[in-house]
Amino acid sequence: MKNLKSVICYTILLPFFTIACTDGFKPFSSSKLNSSSNSNVALLLGKALYDSKCMICHGPFDNSSIRNKKADRINWALANVVNMAPLNSQLTAEQITSLELALSTGTNSSGRVQFACNPQSLPTNSIQRLSNREYKAAVTAILNDINSSLILDSQLQSYFQQLPTDIIGGKENTLVLSPNLISLQNDIAYRAGFLIGSSSAYTNTLPGTNGCLTNNSVTSTCLNNFINELGRRALRRPVTASERANLTTLFNDPAGTTLAIKVTMVVAALLDAPDFKYQIYDQGSAKTTNRTDLNAFEYASKLSFFLTGAPPDATLRSVSDNGTILSDPIVANAQIDRLLATPASRTNIIRFFREWMQYDQFDSFQYSTPFVNGISLENLKQDMTSEIDDFVADVTLGKKTYSDLMLSTQTKFNSNSLATIYGITNPAGAIRNLSSTQRAGLLTRAAFLTKRSGNLTSPVLRGKFLLTQILCGSIGAPPPDAPPSLDPLPTGSYITTRERVFSKTEQPGTSCIACHSRMNNLGYPFEHYDSLGRFRTVEAMYDSSGNALNITLPVNSIATSNELESTAITFDNSISLAQSLANNDKALSCFSLKWHEFQIRKTPTAEYNCAMNESLNTLYGSPTTQGSIFEMIKASVLSPSFKEWGY
């Protein structure tokens, strides 16, 4: 087995350490691949054709959402999509068949789409430090076990506030380590040790010591108990004999002239240890080459940090000490339910949805006064974010489904401005239902609809979000000459935002149409909402200064897209789009992928497909009843893959 601690200790010595995460993700691969050499050749040819002919618009093959396209559908696109017309004379019938094979997906026994799963292909796990959020929780847990007032120390709080952000691109990233972070963690470890060692009131209450640590001689039994108990909490497992010996030597070092210094050094050493600062799983039994099963302590630790963002509490430590967290499914199930019921888990679930949906990220949020029409913008962004926070947490912890996420009209908030946007009286925190003819689920909430400031909506941004985040589709980069914004209208000329977008981005023969027709047609169904999220049937016109012109034009929210299925679907509006998404295989597959991306903190590679299928099939549920998001979370942490570690 590789010595993970040595690797980490070595890298800590470097002035700057970055673990690159460059693995691509292959969402689907052909289930039709078999031993036939002809089939293999056709598959390889299809992938090569995609890379040379399709990638410029649809992105790299491994990340493309263009799947399950039958030969007749490919032929239709060649004949009708302007940017594909040149290919019509270049591709033979055999080549089109190869493309069809390459774009095929697997299905389960019920005919639902599956990630291509090879049980022999297992993922390699990245060594990750605790996020600064988790690190702070781990230090806090150690201090709270002794005295909850210790965490209030102003110097310690100052160090916590200086911890750099882990958020990169809206997501938590713990694959980067900087000298500043190393220095701060060292300061925090020493400060925590100093706080504990500086007062007999604290040393007398150290776990496992029964007050035996005094300025008089400390017996070996007392010292062992101290190291064993504190080490068990800090390392989240029992200390090894060599670790105990090293800490004993440190405690007895002549430099420690007082009990306070001795305790400080031991505490600081434990809180600065790789096993405290990193998620390291190297104590389990070897399963196969380069793969181990987690032991009970490691499983409890991984479970607790993932579900609550904190180390195992006393209850979880107890069932890992006796091994039942691994050996008894009833115990494991009960502990997972208990953890998911905690406020910390609710916060963690909200963090997942924020990272996935980005609904807490706004543009400049600036509108003209006539457009706002008396609505106060003060705290409105926070109110919009809080509404969705509560919504996604209630759907998840209420054991509801992905369909509920897409279709439920239930809401609760306390904001006069948000109530005005929704056309209801302020519910003041009570549960209310929004109009079922105007709203359906997450995608019709104000925080999602305000992706662009100003008086105009952006069907492009709304559609791109659906394509990339809800359907996990890819889109090519815009050409260098792509216009950054819509052209201003000539004086006295008025057309809707949709018409302006169409005119600018979907003209036949332009380089824009192939990609924009994909994005725009997922954004047009939301034209019944203005850029502040208010429902509308007509679009009001404003001059260049933002003044109302007393001119309105009817909005058109009808659109047709083939992004959800292999055949095109027409949506009347956002509600019919949401209804199509509610039990859509591609949308549910994307949700499973995003959940696993959140779990492993990087884009899943094909080696994670088997694990993602376990979550996906839980979401699918039965032919008549969709599975709950809550059960999907449980399935993911109860799965064999969660209880393994590959290196």
Side-chain angles (χ1 to χ4, degrees):
M1 179 185 293
K2 296 178 182 177
N3 189 329
L4 301 183
K5 297 188 193 67
S6 297
V7 173
I8 293 174
C9 290
Y10 173 74
T11 56
I12 286 177
L13 298 176
L14 298 177
F16 187 80
F17 176 55
T18 303
I19 301 175
C21 175
T22 57
D23 290 334
F25 167 66
K26 184 178 292 185
F28 303 107
S29 65
S30 175
S31 63
K32 299 180 181 179
L33 183 60
N34 53 43
S35 59
S36 165
S37 60
N38 289 337
S39 196
N40 284 335
V41 170
L43 178 66
L44 293 173
L45 173 62
K47 290 181 177 179
L49 285 168
Y50 177 94
D51 287 341
S52 64
K53 306 296 185 183
C54 312
M55 184 171 65
I56 188 170
C57 285
H58 299 299
F61 181 87
D62 283 357
N63 296 325
S64 175
S65 64
I66 305 302
R67 302 288 170 173
N68 269 347
K69 302 299 182 186
K70 300 297 183 183
D72 59 348
R73 183 64 188 173
I74 296 173
N75 283 317
W76 178 90
L78 291 171
N80 292 279
V81 177
V82 175
N83 275 20
M84 294 179 66
L87 300 178
N88 204 2
S89 59
Q90 299 176 23
L91 296 177
T92 66
E94 181 181 5
Q95 289 173 327
I96 290 172
T97 300
S98 296
L99 273 172
E100 176 186 357
L101 177 62
L103 296 173
S104 299
T105 66
T107 59
N108 64 12
S109 59
S110 300
R112 306 294 299 263
V113 165
Q114 297 282 276
F115 295 94
C117 166
N118 178 3
Q120 305 306 314
S121 180
L122 301 171
T124 298
N125 303 98
S126 303
I127 301 170
Q128 299 201 25
R129 63 175 172 82
L130 298 183
S131 68
N132 292 332
R133 169 184 55 83
E134 293 166 332
Y135 173 76
K136 181 179 177 181
V139 174
T140 300
I142 293 291
L143 296 179
N144 281 345
D145 276 350
I146 299 166
N147 191 297
S148 59
S149 66
L150 290 171
I151 198 65
L152 302 177
D153 175 71
S154 60
Q155 183 60 65
L156 187 63
Q157 288 298 319
S158 175
Y159 288 145
F160 282 148
Q161 291 168 8
Q162 294 175 55
L163 287 170
T165 181
D166 286 322
I167 306 301
I168 299 176
K171 298 181 179 180
E172 196 168 66
N173 184 310
T174 55
L175 296 173
V176 177
L177 185 65
S178 68
N180 182 39
L181 178 58
I182 296 170
S183 176
L184 276 170
Q185 288 181 337
N186 184 266
D187 289 339
I188 289 169
Y190 181 83
R191 184 63 183 176
F194 173 80
L195 291 172
I196 294 170
S198 63
S199 171
S200 60
Y202 301 140
T203 55
N204 285 338
T205 58
L206 284 169
T209 63
N210 294 319
C212 69
L213 284 177
T214 67
N215 285 314
N216 299 321
S217 61
V218 176
T219 66
S220 60
T221 299
C222 175
L223 181 55
N224 280 341
N225 287 343
F226 164 49
I227 291 172
N228 288 341
E229 286 296 322
L230 188 63
R232 169 69 180 88
R233 287 164 168 75
L235 305 183
R236 303 177 286 277
R237 58 166 175 77
V239 296
T240 64
S242 61
E243 289 167 340
R244 188 182 305 107
N246 290 337
L247 291 168
T248 298
T249 299
L250 182 62
F251 185 89
N252 291 324
D253 191 292
T257 55
T258 66
L259 177 64
I261 294 176
K262 292 176 182 292
V263 170
T264 297
M265 291 193 299
V266 170
V267 174
L270 282 168
L271 300 195
D272 213 31
D275 282 63
F276 178 79
K277 298 189 294 185
Y278 287 78
Q279 296 190 50
I280 299 177
Y281 307 112
D282 62 352
Q283 301 290 310
S285 57
K287 185 172 184 177
T288 59
T289 303
N290 294 340
R291 198 155 199 85
T292 64
D293 282 321
L294 303 186
N295 65 22
F297 305 107
E298 293 170 327
Y299 179 53
S301 178
K302 187 178 181 182
L303 192 65
S304 186
F305 274 117
F306 180 51
L307 294 182
T308 71
D313 59 13
T315 303
L316 199 52
R317 288 199 301 269
S318 176
V319 294
S320 59
D321 285 338
N322 64 28
T324 55
I325 186 66
L326 266 183
S327 64
D328 190 336
I330 295 176
V331 171
N333 192 68
Q335 287 301 309
I336 293 168
D337 283 343
R338 183 181 68 85
L339 293 175
L340 286 171
T342 62
S345 181
R346 182 183 179 91
T347 299
N348 211 42
I349 287 167
I350 289 171
R351 191 168 63 84
F352 159 65
F353 279 97
R354 285 191 179 193
E355 286 194 11
W356 169 42
M357 294 291 292
Q358 303 165 18
Y359 59 81
D360 60 329
Q361 300 174 36
F362 294 86
D363 196 1
S364 57
F365 214 69
Q366 295 179 345
Y367 305 89
S368 71
T369 300
F371 178 81
V372 171
N373 194 28
I375 293 177
S376 172
L377 301 183
E378 185 177 1
N379 298 321
L380 184 54
K381 287 189 291 186
Q382 295 89 329
D383 292 337
M384 288 178 174
T385 299
S386 295
E387 184 216 358
I388 298 189
D389 283 347
D390 285 336
F391 176 71
V392 297
D394 290 346
V395 166
T396 302
L397 297 174
K399 301 183 179 180
K400 297 179 182 178
T401 65
Y402 185 85
S403 180
D404 292 312
L405 195 67
M406 290 293 113
L407 300 177
S408 174
T409 60
Q410 195 171 95
T411 188
K412 62 180 179 182
F413 56 84
N414 187 5
S415 165
N416 289 327
S417 294
L418 194 52
T420 301
I421 288 172
Y422 287 145
I424 62 175
T425 56
N426 187 351
I431 295 176
R432 289 281 302 276
N433 283 303
L434 302 175
S435 169
S436 60
T437 61
Q438 296 181 4
R439 310 278 170 174
L442 187 60
L443 299 178
T444 60
R445 304 302 166 102
F448 168 74
L449 296 166
T450 54
K451 288 300 178 186
R452 183 185 186 279
S453 295
N455 297 1
L456 298 180
T457 60
S458 178
V460 176
L461 290 180
R462 288 172 173 176
K464 182 182 179 183
F465 182 87
L466 256 75
L467 178 63
T468 58
Q469 297 301 116
I470 305 298
L471 298 172
C472 288
S474 57
I475 198 76
D481 60 346
S485 60
L486 297 176
D487 295 331
L489 289 173
T491 303
S493 175
Y494 305 105
I495 58 175
T496 64
T497 300
R498 173 174 178 158
E499 291 169 324
R500 293 175 68 181
V501 169
F502 180 86
S503 175
K504 190 70 175 178
T505 65
E506 295 187 62
Q507 288 302 306
T510 66
S511 60
C512 306
I513 185 172
C515 296
H516 271 279
S517 62
R518 297 177 63 207
M519 296 185 291
N520 297 359
N521 281 299
L522 291 174
Y524 291 148
F526 295 91
E527 279 300 279
H528 269 302
Y529 310 97
D530 69 15
S531 58
L532 200 55
R534 293 172 294 200
F535 183 82
R536 65 185 184 180
T537 56
V538 295
E539 179 179 351
M541 298 291 108
Y542 295 83
D543 64 21
S544 59
S545 299
N547 297 310
L549 294 173
N550 199 29
I551 298 172
T552 60
L553 299 173
V555 296
N556 177 8
S557 62
I558 299 174
T560 300
S561 172
N562 58 8
E563 295 298 329
L564 277 69
E565 303 286 353
S566 58
T567 57
I569 302 175
T570 297
F571 315 111
D572 291 334
N573 48 42
S574 61
I575 294 177
S576 64
L577 172 55
Q579 290 167 343
S580 295
L581 288 168
N583 198 34
N584 177 263
D585 286 10
K586 188 179 289 188
L588 289 165
S589 299
C590 184
F591 187 79
S592 176
L593 185 152
K594 293 297 182 181
W595 175 253
H596 282 268
E597 181 178 297
F598 177 72
Q599 176 186 318
I600 65 176
R601 295 177 184 168
K602 65 177 183 180
T603 302
T605 56
E607 290 77 18
Y608 288 92
N609 285 359
C610 297
M612 290 193 291
N613 278 341
E614 293 173 6
S615 301
L616 177 57
N617 288 328
T618 302
L619 282 176
Y620 283 154
S622 70
T624 57
T625 306
Q626 199 176 79
S628 72
I629 297 171
F630 184 89
E631 290 302 322
M632 182 212 71
I633 294 174
K634 291 184 65 174
S636 70
V637 297
L638 285 168
S639 69
S641 60
F642 190 85
K643 301 175 184 178
E644 297 176 357
W645 188 257
Y647 58 94

